[in-house]
Amino acid sequence: GAGALKPLKGLASAYGKLTEGLVERSVEAKLLLLAALAGEHLFLLGSPGTAKSLLARRLSKVCEGSYFERLLTRFTVPEELFGPLSLHALEEDELRRKTQGYLPECDVAFIDEIFKANSSILNSLLVILNERRFDNGDQRVLVPLWTAVAASNELPDTEELDALYDRFLLRRHVSRISRRSVPDFLKMTLSREEAKGAAGGNGVAARAGQGGTLLSIEDSWDLQRRAMEVDFPEDLLVVIADLREFLAEAEPRFEVSDRRLARSVRLLRIAAAAAGGTTVVEADLLLLRHMFWDREPEQGQLVTEWLLRRLGDTGDGKKAWSFLL
């Protein structure tokens, strides 16, 4: 019956694929899957070399989609993101780009140093992230983008860039591997090298177990439809409203925009549906710590502490996402 929905098929295998051989990247992998399933975007704050682009690349393998990656600098030109101008179109007096192999035609994107985006690319980038559309010449075309992952080791410092930052519903501060995990990390690195050596250095062995699409964009549409039937108890909506008030007066304060509030409630329903739930439960609200911060990752910790105080014991915590603490 309705009370016994199963967790989304392929979710556990997709999570396994994303985290294979990685240490301490479990939360990042779950947030990336959740972003993809909800058609949202994920922002990762942290220094280079913390496996951020690797996760995004693996997601494109999981959904067997096309992948686009670009490191932005202050001097990045539109051609580098959206494709070169078509010479053929120019002869016809039209300004059109050849977008194949660029951002407007990819399923999964990874944009590094996103806040280096200058005004020449900002507008088009906002429209792609927000509306999944791209203005090519005089045509506005739909883009297939499933999810974008952005990374930076600094936060935005202008209002223009704040608008871009707001497009990333899920946010996560990625730390370097903790000291106690370093030996495991090094062991994995060494065994990967050995596997490569055994495969004659061409990585054939590493690619052998790929095996089909684990999650598709159709799965995510299907899940989003299913999520509409997930019940969201009114008392939990009141909790979220109170949390928003608390954050507006907290130190450091965080103003949750109406858009962010609406998107976060939608995401909680999708998370519940993905875990096989028919109703959002208290433990699901703990996901808000990854949505309700902007300047200090510690603001997310505030969210958790406030929710735990407000909700008291969060029950058995058996939800698939509830260990996102």
mmCIF file of all heavy atoms in Angstrom, residues 209-244:
data_model
loop_
_atom_site.group_PDB
_atom_site.id
_atom_site.type_symbol
_atom_site.label_atom_id
_atom_site.label_comp_id
_atom_site.label_asym_id
_atom_site.label_seq_id
_atom_site.Cartn_x
_atom_site.Cartn_y
_atom_site.Cartn_z
ATOM 1 N N GLY A 209 34.125 -2.558 -14.445
ATOM 2 C CA GLY A 209 32.857 -2.768 -13.729
ATOM 3 C C GLY A 209 31.840 -1.660 -13.918
ATOM 4 O O GLY A 209 31.049 -1.411 -13.030
ATOM 5 N N GLN A 210 31.858 -0.958 -15.053
ATOM 6 C CA GLN A 210 30.987 0.203 -15.202
ATOM 7 C C GLN A 210 29.495 -0.144 -15.162
ATOM 8 O O GLN A 210 28.762 0.380 -14.346
ATOM 9 C CB GLN A 210 31.323 0.925 -16.503
ATOM 10 C CG GLN A 210 31.174 2.412 -16.396
ATOM 11 C CD GLN A 210 32.337 3.070 -15.663
ATOM 12 O OE1 GLN A 210 33.379 3.257 -16.223
ATOM 13 N NE2 GLN A 210 32.157 3.418 -14.424
ATOM 14 N N GLY A 211 29.069 -0.979 -16.103
ATOM 15 C CA GLY A 211 27.733 -1.563 -16.085
ATOM 16 C C GLY A 211 26.509 -0.668 -16.032
ATOM 17 O O GLY A 211 25.900 -0.534 -15.002
ATOM 18 N N GLY A 212 26.149 -0.033 -17.150
ATOM 19 C CA GLY A 212 24.813 0.561 -17.317
ATOM 20 C C GLY A 212 24.493 1.784 -16.468
ATOM 21 O O GLY A 212 25.199 2.145 -15.562
ATOM 22 N N THR A 213 23.338 2.391 -16.821
ATOM 23 C CA THR A 213 22.877 3.576 -16.110
ATOM 24 C C THR A 213 22.310 3.178 -14.758
ATOM 25 O O THR A 213 21.403 2.352 -14.682
ATOM 26 C CB THR A 213 21.750 4.256 -16.935
ATOM 27 O OG1 THR A 213 22.212 4.396 -18.273
ATOM 28 C CG2 THR A 213 21.399 5.607 -16.382
ATOM 29 N N LEU A 214 22.809 3.783 -13.704
ATOM 30 C CA LEU A 214 22.289 3.462 -12.362
ATOM 31 C C LEU A 214 21.133 4.392 -12.005
ATOM 32 O O LEU A 214 20.172 4.003 -11.361
ATOM 33 C CB LEU A 214 23.417 3.589 -11.332
ATOM 34 C CG LEU A 214 24.562 2.582 -11.505
ATOM 35 C CD1 LEU A 214 25.715 2.901 -10.576
ATOM 36 C CD2 LEU A 214 24.068 1.159 -11.256
ATOM 37 N N LEU A 215 21.255 5.647 -12.403
ATOM 38 C CA LEU A 215 20.188 6.626 -12.174
ATOM 39 C C LEU A 215 20.092 7.464 -13.436
ATOM 40 O O LEU A 215 21.117 7.867 -13.980
ATOM 41 C CB LEU A 215 20.553 7.558 -11.026
ATOM 42 C CG LEU A 215 20.327 7.105 -9.584
ATOM 43 C CD1 LEU A 215 20.755 8.229 -8.647
ATOM 44 C CD2 LEU A 215 18.881 6.728 -9.315
ATOM 45 N N SER A 216 18.887 7.742 -13.879
ATOM 46 C CA SER A 216 18.754 8.545 -15.099
ATOM 47 C C SER A 216 17.971 9.810 -14.781
ATOM 48 O O SER A 216 17.322 9.913 -13.738
ATOM 49 C CB SER A 216 17.995 7.750 -16.169
ATOM 50 O OG SER A 216 16.659 7.578 -15.732
ATOM 51 N N ILE A 217 18.006 10.742 -15.705
ATOM 52 C CA ILE A 217 17.257 11.984 -15.508
ATOM 53 C C ILE A 217 15.758 11.678 -15.451
ATOM 54 O O ILE A 217 15.001 12.324 -14.740
ATOM 55 C CB ILE A 217 17.622 13.031 -16.579
ATOM 56 C CG1 ILE A 217 17.144 14.421 -16.154
ATOM 57 C CG2 ILE A 217 17.084 12.646 -17.947
ATOM 58 C CD1 ILE A 217 17.855 15.564 -16.809
ATOM 59 N N GLU A 218 15.349 10.601 -16.178
ATOM 60 C CA GLU A 218 13.927 10.190 -16.118
ATOM 61 C C GLU A 218 13.571 9.732 -14.705
ATOM 62 O O GLU A 218 12.476 10.000 -14.215
ATOM 63 C CB GLU A 218 13.637 9.059 -17.111
ATOM 64 C CG GLU A 218 13.597 9.495 -18.580
ATOM 65 C CD GLU A 218 14.979 9.776 -19.159
ATOM 66 O OE1 GLU A 218 15.964 9.148 -18.699
ATOM 67 O OE2 GLU A 218 15.067 10.642 -20.048
ATOM 68 N N ASP A 219 14.516 9.022 -14.052
ATOM 69 C CA ASP A 219 14.283 8.606 -12.655
ATOM 70 C C ASP A 219 14.024 9.822 -11.781
ATOM 71 O O ASP A 219 13.176 9.797 -10.890
ATOM 72 C CB ASP A 219 15.513 7.862 -12.081
ATOM 73 C CG ASP A 219 15.710 6.500 -12.723
ATOM 74 O OD1 ASP A 219 14.706 5.907 -13.157
ATOM 75 O OD2 ASP A 219 16.865 6.032 -12.785
ATOM 76 N N SER A 220 14.790 10.883 -12.024
ATOM 77 C CA SER A 220 14.623 12.050 -11.166
ATOM 78 C C SER A 220 13.282 12.745 -11.436
ATOM 79 O O SER A 220 12.625 13.212 -10.518
ATOM 80 C CB SER A 220 15.802 13.013 -11.290
ATOM 81 O OG SER A 220 15.825 13.622 -12.540
ATOM 82 N N TRP A 221 12.860 12.799 -12.708
ATOM 83 C CA TRP A 221 11.538 13.384 -13.005
ATOM 84 C C TRP A 221 10.438 12.574 -12.335
ATOM 85 O O TRP A 221 9.492 13.116 -11.770
ATOM 86 C CB TRP A 221 11.291 13.428 -14.517
ATOM 87 C CG TRP A 221 12.161 14.401 -15.242
ATOM 88 C CD1 TRP A 221 12.781 15.500 -14.696
ATOM 89 C CD2 TRP A 221 12.520 14.370 -16.628
ATOM 90 N NE1 TRP A 221 13.508 16.149 -15.660
ATOM 91 C CE2 TRP A 221 13.374 15.494 -16.859
ATOM 92 C CE3 TRP A 221 12.210 13.531 -17.685
ATOM 93 C CZ2 TRP A 221 13.904 15.775 -18.108
ATOM 94 C CZ3 TRP A 221 12.749 13.806 -18.938
ATOM 95 C CH2 TRP A 221 13.581 14.919 -19.150
ATOM 96 N N ASP A 222 10.592 11.260 -12.451
ATOM 97 C CA ASP A 222 9.625 10.349 -11.856
ATOM 98 C C ASP A 222 9.540 10.564 -10.339
ATOM 99 O O ASP A 222 8.466 10.638 -9.750
ATOM 100 C CB ASP A 222 10.072 8.906 -12.171
ATOM 101 C CG ASP A 222 8.976 7.911 -11.884
ATOM 102 O OD1 ASP A 222 7.822 8.236 -12.224
ATOM 103 O OD2 ASP A 222 9.278 6.841 -11.317
ATOM 104 N N LEU A 223 10.702 10.689 -9.724
ATOM 105 C CA LEU A 223 10.772 10.899 -8.276
ATOM 106 C C LEU A 223 10.148 12.241 -7.892
ATOM 107 O O LEU A 223 9.426 12.344 -6.905
ATOM 108 C CB LEU A 223 12.234 10.852 -7.813
ATOM 109 C CG LEU A 223 12.450 11.022 -6.306
ATOM 110 C CD1 LEU A 223 11.965 9.788 -5.549
ATOM 111 C CD2 LEU A 223 13.916 11.276 -5.988
ATOM 112 N N GLN A 224 10.415 13.277 -8.709
ATOM 113 C CA GLN A 224 9.846 14.596 -8.407
ATOM 114 C C GLN A 224 8.320 14.560 -8.466
ATOM 115 O O GLN A 224 7.637 15.209 -7.673
ATOM 116 C CB GLN A 224 10.408 15.644 -9.376
ATOM 117 C CG GLN A 224 11.860 15.998 -9.087
ATOM 118 C CD GLN A 224 12.523 16.774 -10.222
ATOM 119 O OE1 GLN A 224 11.885 17.549 -10.934
ATOM 120 N NE2 GLN A 224 13.816 16.566 -10.408
ATOM 121 N N ARG A 225 7.798 13.746 -9.401
ATOM 122 C CA ARG A 225 6.334 13.596 -9.469
ATOM 123 C C ARG A 225 5.819 12.870 -8.230
ATOM 124 O O ARG A 225 4.809 13.246 -7.641
ATOM 125 C CB ARG A 225 5.933 12.821 -10.739
ATOM 126 C CG ARG A 225 5.769 13.723 -11.958
ATOM 127 C CD ARG A 225 5.077 12.998 -13.098
ATOM 128 N NE ARG A 225 5.816 11.818 -13.538
ATOM 129 C CZ ARG A 225 6.773 11.859 -14.467
ATOM 130 N NH1 ARG A 225 7.117 13.008 -15.014
ATOM 131 N NH2 ARG A 225 7.402 10.749 -14.820
ATOM 132 N N ARG A 226 6.542 11.797 -7.866
ATOM 133 C CA ARG A 226 6.141 11.003 -6.696
ATOM 134 C C ARG A 226 6.182 11.843 -5.420
ATOM 135 O O ARG A 226 5.358 11.684 -4.519
ATOM 136 C CB ARG A 226 7.109 9.815 -6.562
ATOM 137 C CG ARG A 226 6.416 8.516 -6.210
ATOM 138 C CD ARG A 226 7.352 7.348 -6.354
ATOM 139 N NE ARG A 226 8.319 7.264 -5.279
ATOM 140 C CZ ARG A 226 9.365 6.457 -5.278
ATOM 141 N NH1 ARG A 226 9.597 5.693 -6.338
ATOM 142 N NH2 ARG A 226 10.194 6.411 -4.265
ATOM 143 N N ALA A 227 7.157 12.762 -5.371
ATOM 144 C CA ALA A 227 7.342 13.586 -4.172
ATOM 145 C C ALA A 227 6.136 14.492 -3.909
ATOM 146 O O ALA A 227 5.877 14.884 -2.776
ATOM 147 C CB ALA A 227 8.611 14.417 -4.306
ATOM 148 N N MET A 228 5.396 14.806 -4.990
ATOM 149 C CA MET A 228 4.228 15.686 -4.812
ATOM 150 C C MET A 228 3.173 15.041 -3.910
ATOM 151 O O MET A 228 2.322 15.716 -3.359
ATOM 152 C CB MET A 228 3.618 16.045 -6.169
ATOM 153 C CG MET A 228 4.491 16.975 -6.970
ATOM 154 S SD MET A 228 3.778 17.261 -8.597
ATOM 155 C CE MET A 228 5.137 18.105 -9.416
ATOM 156 N N GLU A 229 3.237 13.709 -3.815
ATOM 157 C CA GLU A 229 2.255 13.016 -2.971
ATOM 158 C C GLU A 229 2.764 12.798 -1.555
ATOM 159 O O GLU A 229 2.063 12.255 -0.705
ATOM 160 C CB GLU A 229 1.896 11.666 -3.603
ATOM 161 C CG GLU A 229 1.080 11.834 -4.878
ATOM 162 C CD GLU A 229 1.171 10.632 -5.798
ATOM 163 O OE1 GLU A 229 1.344 9.510 -5.287
ATOM 164 O OE2 GLU A 229 1.080 10.832 -7.029
ATOM 165 N N VAL A 230 4.003 13.218 -1.292
ATOM 166 C CA VAL A 230 4.559 13.051 0.059
ATOM 167 C C VAL A 230 3.944 14.103 0.980
ATOM 168 O O VAL A 230 3.901 15.283 0.644
ATOM 169 C CB VAL A 230 6.106 13.191 0.035
ATOM 170 C CG1 VAL A 230 6.671 13.306 1.443
ATOM 171 C CG2 VAL A 230 6.734 11.999 -0.687
ATOM 172 N N ASP A 231 3.471 13.653 2.114
ATOM 173 C CA ASP A 231 2.811 14.543 3.063
ATOM 174 C C ASP A 231 3.854 15.387 3.799
ATOM 175 O O ASP A 231 4.909 14.870 4.186
ATOM 176 C CB ASP A 231 2.032 13.664 4.060
ATOM 177 C CG ASP A 231 1.247 14.506 5.054
ATOM 178 O OD1 ASP A 231 0.608 15.474 4.605
ATOM 179 O OD2 ASP A 231 1.305 14.213 6.263
ATOM 180 N N PHE A 232 3.562 16.673 3.987
ATOM 181 C CA PHE A 232 4.476 17.519 4.767
ATOM 182 C C PHE A 232 3.674 18.039 5.965
ATOM 183 O O PHE A 232 2.907 18.985 5.841
ATOM 184 C CB PHE A 232 4.983 18.694 3.915
ATOM 185 C CG PHE A 232 6.337 19.187 4.333
ATOM 186 C CD1 PHE A 232 7.390 19.253 3.423
ATOM 187 C CD2 PHE A 232 6.588 19.589 5.641
ATOM 188 C CE1 PHE A 232 8.653 19.695 3.797
ATOM 189 C CE2 PHE A 232 7.840 20.032 6.039
ATOM 190 C CZ PHE A 232 8.878 20.087 5.106
ATOM 191 N N PRO A 233 3.819 17.409 7.150
ATOM 192 C CA PRO A 233 2.994 17.786 8.306
ATOM 193 C C PRO A 233 3.110 19.274 8.639
ATOM 194 O O PRO A 233 4.216 19.837 8.590
ATOM 195 C CB PRO A 233 3.573 16.930 9.445
ATOM 196 C CG PRO A 233 4.280 15.812 8.775
ATOM 197 C CD PRO A 233 4.783 16.353 7.474
ATOM 198 N N GLU A 234 1.972 19.860 8.964
ATOM 199 C CA GLU A 234 1.949 21.302 9.216
ATOM 200 C C GLU A 234 2.857 21.707 10.377
ATOM 201 O O GLU A 234 3.497 22.760 10.334
ATOM 202 C CB GLU A 234 0.512 21.762 9.486
ATOM 203 C CG GLU A 234 0.439 23.268 9.504
ATOM 204 C CD GLU A 234 -0.957 23.811 9.227
ATOM 205 O OE1 GLU A 234 -1.776 23.071 8.657
ATOM 206 O OE2 GLU A 234 -1.194 24.965 9.591
ATOM 207 N N ASP A 235 2.947 20.857 11.400
ATOM 208 C CA ASP A 235 3.790 21.250 12.545
ATOM 209 C C ASP A 235 5.254 21.380 12.134
ATOM 210 O O ASP A 235 5.999 22.182 12.692
ATOM 211 C CB ASP A 235 3.623 20.286 13.732
ATOM 212 C CG ASP A 235 3.931 18.844 13.361
ATOM 213 O OD1 ASP A 235 3.726 18.485 12.183
ATOM 214 O OD2 ASP A 235 4.369 18.079 14.234
ATOM 215 N N LEU A 236 5.666 20.609 11.106
ATOM 216 C CA LEU A 236 7.050 20.724 10.643
ATOM 217 C C LEU A 236 7.250 21.991 9.806
ATOM 218 O O LEU A 236 8.321 22.600 9.823
ATOM 219 C CB LEU A 236 7.469 19.481 9.846
ATOM 220 C CG LEU A 236 7.539 18.171 10.643
ATOM 221 C CD1 LEU A 236 8.098 17.044 9.779
ATOM 222 C CD2 LEU A 236 8.389 18.320 11.902
ATOM 223 N N LEU A 237 6.201 22.396 9.101
ATOM 224 C CA LEU A 237 6.277 23.658 8.354
ATOM 225 C C LEU A 237 6.430 24.829 9.333
ATOM 226 O O LEU A 237 7.178 25.781 9.079
ATOM 227 C CB LEU A 237 5.035 23.849 7.478
ATOM 228 C CG LEU A 237 4.885 22.867 6.309
ATOM 229 C CD1 LEU A 237 3.538 23.052 5.611
ATOM 230 C CD2 LEU A 237 6.014 23.031 5.286
ATOM 231 N N VAL A 238 5.741 24.724 10.462
ATOM 232 C CA VAL A 238 5.848 25.762 11.500
ATOM 233 C C VAL A 238 7.277 25.801 12.054
ATOM 234 O O VAL A 238 7.856 26.869 12.271
ATOM 235 C CB VAL A 238 4.821 25.509 12.639
ATOM 236 C CG1 VAL A 238 5.058 26.457 13.808
ATOM 237 C CG2 VAL A 238 3.396 25.666 12.108
ATOM 238 N N VAL A 239 7.862 24.620 12.246
ATOM 239 C CA VAL A 239 9.245 24.537 12.741
ATOM 240 C C VAL A 239 10.182 25.275 11.776
ATOM 241 O O VAL A 239 11.041 26.057 12.191
ATOM 242 C CB VAL A 239 9.702 23.052 12.891
ATOM 243 C CG1 VAL A 239 11.209 22.970 13.142
ATOM 244 C CG2 VAL A 239 8.951 22.382 14.031
ATOM 245 N N ILE A 240 9.988 25.053 10.456
ATOM 246 C CA ILE A 240 10.858 25.698 9.456
ATOM 247 C C ILE A 240 10.671 27.224 9.475
ATOM 248 O O ILE A 240 11.643 27.979 9.400
ATOM 249 C CB ILE A 240 10.594 25.121 8.048
ATOM 250 C CG1 ILE A 240 11.016 23.642 8.015
ATOM 251 C CG2 ILE A 240 11.354 25.895 6.979
ATOM 252 C CD1 ILE A 240 10.663 22.909 6.743
ATOM 253 N N ALA A 241 9.412 27.659 9.633
ATOM 254 C CA ALA A 241 9.140 29.100 9.707
ATOM 255 C C ALA A 241 9.843 29.705 10.925
ATOM 256 O O ALA A 241 10.452 30.786 10.842
ATOM 257 C CB ALA A 241 7.629 29.340 9.785
ATOM 258 N N ASP A 242 9.787 29.003 12.053
ATOM 259 C CA ASP A 242 10.448 29.493 13.273
ATOM 260 C C ASP A 242 11.970 29.496 13.124
ATOM 261 O O ASP A 242 12.654 30.385 13.626
ATOM 262 C CB ASP A 242 10.053 28.635 14.489
ATOM 263 C CG ASP A 242 8.579 28.830 14.858
ATOM 264 O OD1 ASP A 242 7.966 29.778 14.325
ATOM 265 O OD2 ASP A 242 8.047 28.039 15.665
ATOM 266 N N LEU A 243 12.484 28.483 12.428
ATOM 267 C CA LEU A 243 13.928 28.401 12.207
ATOM 268 C C LEU A 243 14.391 29.600 11.378
ATOM 269 O O LEU A 243 15.431 30.213 11.653
ATOM 270 C CB LEU A 243 14.288 27.090 11.481
ATOM 271 C CG LEU A 243 15.733 26.926 10.998
ATOM 272 C CD1 LEU A 243 16.714 26.978 12.166
ATOM 273 C CD2 LEU A 243 15.917 25.617 10.234
ATOM 274 N N ARG A 244 13.583 29.965 10.377
ATOM 275 C CA ARG A 244 13.927 31.114 9.536
ATOM 276 C C ARG A 244 14.017 32.390 10.384
ATOM 277 O O ARG A 244 14.949 33.190 10.245
ATOM 278 C CB ARG A 244 12.858 31.273 8.453
ATOM 279 C CG ARG A 244 13.155 32.379 7.470
ATOM 280 C CD ARG A 244 11.919 32.754 6.680
ATOM 281 N NE ARG A 244 12.246 33.390 5.410
ATOM 282 C CZ ARG A 244 11.361 33.904 4.590
ATOM 283 N NH1 ARG A 244 10.077 33.829 4.883
ATOM 284 N NH2 ARG A 244 11.717 34.473 3.459
#
